[in-house]
Amino acid sequence: NSAPEVIFEELAAGDPGLYSLRLALVGSMQALLRNAIQACGTGGKVVCSAKISADRFEFVVRDNGSGMTDSVRARVGEPFFTSKTPGEGMGLGLYLTKLFAMQVGGAFVLESEVGRGTTAALRIPRIFKV
């Protein structure tokens, strides 16, 4: 049994110019990556990509894990909600990611299908008001 394969695609080059709230951004990206790795289990695959446009930064994490049911997906982002077994998570990572996106005028988008995996995207404006 091996750990999931994690691939970082290089889709963007240059300085994204995101300095404000850097710790919140990094924490959000780590939460997305950690959840994808846990969802895949051994032998899975996680693909991470970042895109920078004139007005937006987008960090996307795709996994080939088991996916989520509609009822689980509807609750993702609620504080302390987790579908993990006890001790594997507190249910705060995606809540804080969603909160960060809302605070800066961005979006947290989650697409998932049972048996096919999940795609999570954090989209934030390059210039935002706090």
Side-chain angles (χ1 to χ4, degrees):
N1 291 347
S2 63
E5 176 183 13
V6 179
I7 299 170
F8 291 89
E9 295 179 339
E10 188 173 338
L11 299 178
D15 182 356
L18 293 165
Y19 301 104
S20 298
L21 302 175
R22 183 174 59 199
L23 291 177
L25 174 62
V26 170
S28 295
M29 292 165 52
Q30 287 173 333
L32 296 180
L33 183 57
R34 183 174 43 253
N35 281 351
I37 290 170
Q38 288 176 331
C40 281
T42 57
K45 185 174 182 180
V46 176
V47 179
C48 305
S49 63
K51 299 177 186 177
I52 302 169
S53 65
D55 62 342
R56 174 170 91 176
F57 170 82
E58 180 177 40
F59 181 70
V60 179
V61 178
R62 294 185 314 273
D63 69 61
N64 66 349
S66 59
M68 297 178 213
T69 63
D70 290 341
S71 60
V72 169
R73 191 172 61 249
R75 296 198 58 201
V76 167
E78 290 180 16
F80 301 107
F81 171 76
T82 182
S83 60
K84 298 173 186 168
T85 58
E88 287 187 6
M90 294 178 19
L92 289 176
L94 295 183
Y95 165 71
L96 294 173
T97 297
K98 185 177 178 180
L99 184 62
F100 169 66
M102 289 177 12
Q103 286 177 332
V104 298
F108 171 62
V109 180
L110 190 69
E111 297 173 359
S112 186
E113 186 177 336
V114 174
R116 298 191 53 117
T118 301
T119 299
L122 174 63
R123 299 175 181 143
I124 60 170
R126 286 186 66 174
I127 299 172
F128 48 82
K129 296 178 184 178
V130 290

